[in-house]
Amino acid sequence: MVIEDPATYWDQLWTDGARYRPLDETETTALEQHAGAGEGRAALDIGSGDGSLAHHLARLGYTTIGIDCAPAAVGLAAETGATGVTFREADIEGPEPLPAPEQPFALITARLVYAFIADKPSFLRRVRHLLSDDGLFWVVSPLADRLREDRAGIGITADDEILLTGGWSKVHMTDLDIMRCYALRP
C-alpha cells in the first residue's frame, strides 16, 4: 500500500488515537535471540510509532534512536522520557538524510513499516548504508496472503519478500500468525 503523503496520513491516524499491534513476548523473544544484548551499541528503529520497540531496545542495552514521520507519534513515544532512547521526526524515504551516527548502527528495525515503503529498493540501499558490517536488520510485517482481501495492502507480497531477503548473507524467518519476522545480516 503506497501512501502519497506519509507524514500527513500517519500523523492524522496517531492524532485520532489509532494504535497498532502491540509487541508481544513471542516477537520480543525472537528479536532477542537474533539481536542479543545491546552493550551500548547503536540501534535505529524506523517508523517507531508509540516507541514500544525503541524502548524495548533501550532496555536490552542499545543506544536507540527512534524515527517516525508523524509528529504525533514522536510526541507520544517521547512522553515516557526513558533513558537510552531518543525520538526524532524523520522520514526514512525523505530527501533529508538521517542524522549520521558516530558509527554504523548495529541494529536497525522496521516493524509494521516495510509494506508501506514506496521505493523499496532505495529503502533497502539506505538501510544497508546505515548498518554495520556485522549488524542486524530486523523487519516485522504482515504477509498479504495471510490477510483478508480487503486488508492485503498492509502486508507484503511474495515479490516484496524476495526483494527484502535478496542479497543478505544470512536470512532467518520466524512466523507469528499473520506476521513474519526477518533477521537479515550483511
Side-chain angles (χ1 to χ4, degrees):
M1 179 172 145
V2 176
I3 298 166
E4 293 299 320
D5 182 0
T8 300
Y9 176 84
W10 293 110
D11 196 54
Q12 188 61 57
L13 288 172
W14 282 105
T15 299
D16 291 345
R19 298 297 178 262
Y20 305 94
R21 181 181 171 132
L23 279 175
D24 64 26
E25 186 176 345
T26 305
E27 187 180 335
T28 57
T29 298
L31 169 62
E32 291 166 24
Q33 288 173 345
H34 292 282
E39 300 174 349
R41 294 178 297 156
L44 175 67
D45 182 25
I46 299 168
S48 57
D50 67 5
S52 58
L53 179 55
H55 289 295
H56 182 75
L57 297 176
R59 285 190 297 276
L60 291 176
Y62 288 91
T63 302
T64 306
I65 298 171
I67 63 167
D68 203 292
C69 64
V74 173
L76 179 65
E79 283 178 0
T80 63
T83 58
V85 61
T86 57
F87 294 96
R88 297 184 181 145
E89 186 181 333
D91 183 352
I92 190 70
E93 292 191 281
E96 296 294 319
L98 296 172
E102 292 178 16
Q103 57 194 4
F105 290 102
L107 173 62
I108 298 178
T109 61
R111 182 178 187 271
L112 308 179
V113 171
Y114 188 68
F116 300 100
I117 298 294
D119 185 349
K120 289 174 176 56
S122 290
F123 170 76
L124 292 169
R125 281 191 299 277
R126 189 169 280 186
V127 165
R128 287 174 192 268
H129 177 73
L130 294 169
L131 190 64
S132 67
D133 291 341
D134 61 347
L136 173 69
F137 182 35
W138 179 258
V139 178
V140 179
S141 182
L143 300 175
D145 64 1
R146 294 185 184 175
L147 299 168
R148 294 186 329 252
E149 188 175 332
D150 65 322
R151 302 281 295 156
I154 68 165
I156 63 171
T157 65
D159 288 342
D160 292 336
E161 183 177 76
I162 289 168
L163 179 63
L164 172 64
T165 59
W168 299 94
S169 69
K170 293 182 184 175
V171 175
H172 183 84
M173 295 179 260
T174 304
D175 282 344
L176 312 169
D177 56 63
I178 63 167
M179 310 273 277
R180 182 168 286 160
C181 304
Y182 301 86
L184 308 168
R185 293 204 181 266

